[in-house]
Amino acid sequence: MQTFSIKNRRDRTIIGNLDIVPDQRGLAFMLHGVGGFKEQPHLRVMAQSFSEHGYTVVNFDSTNGFGESDGGLETLSATGNYEDLGDVIAWAGTQSWYAEPFVLAGFSLGSLCMALYAEKHPEKVKALAPISTVVSGKHL
């Protein structure tokens, strides 16, 4: 497993883990929920399952959370997490291991962001694994 660091559109640092598998069959992005971080046990189990099935896994701490990325919880928002997801996917698109369509897996608020991304970019998404999804509002 490798660690990566990128800047998001707001010039904040996003820290993530990257597990590139040999003979890659696909790509999966993962995102935690409010108060979560990339090394939580349930996310590690999900990442391991993807890796064991031939998927390169990108798992990152959103900004404004408890993880290693920049920002504090007082400025956490669904919009910010959604933008971080888009920025990580855009960065991944410049890497040799990038592949479409990819899988999106999230927990809680991370699932909401994944579902919104899939709704706006269905051609890029092979599958969606929303775990304990946050839902709110008449459109969700």
Side-chain angles (χ1 to χ4, degrees):
M1 184 165 324
Q2 305 171 28
T3 300
F4 68 89
S5 172
I6 66 168
K7 292 287 188 175
N8 71 6
R9 67 189 75 191
R10 300 181 191 278
D11 200 37
R12 293 192 174 229
T13 301
I14 296 174
I15 305 292
N17 293 331
L18 174 62
D19 187 8
I20 301 172
V21 297
D23 301 320
Q24 177 179 317
R25 293 179 52 210
L27 175 62
F29 293 92
M30 297 178 54
L31 182 56
H32 59 80
V34 173
F37 52 96
K38 64 188 176 307
E39 291 90 3
Q40 286 181 289
H42 56 284
L43 294 176
R44 291 172 71 192
V45 167
M46 289 169 45
Q48 182 180 354
S49 181
F50 280 120
S51 293
E52 288 173 357
H53 288 90
Y55 282 75
T56 288
V57 178
V58 180
N59 185 8
F60 65 98
D61 286 332
S62 65
T63 57
N64 305 314
F66 284 117
E68 296 179 278
S69 297
D70 285 349
L73 202 54
E74 66 278 1
T75 53
L76 174 77
S77 71
T79 300
N81 282 19
Y82 175 79
E83 289 176 352
D84 285 350
L85 172 62
D87 293 343
V88 169
I89 292 171
W91 164 78
T94 69
Q95 306 302 305
S96 62
W97 42 262
Y98 182 78
E100 290 182 11
F102 46 74
V103 175
L104 297 173
F107 182 81
S108 188
L109 182 61
S111 290
L112 173 67
C113 296
M114 297 292 187
L116 290 171
Y117 189 92
E119 179 182 28
K120 292 183 182 200
H121 306 281
E123 72 286 354
K124 293 184 176 192
V125 180
K126 178 179 184 176
L128 186 61
I131 311 301
S132 298
T133 306
V134 169
V135 291
S136 177
K138 68 179 185 177
H139 298 301
L140 297 174

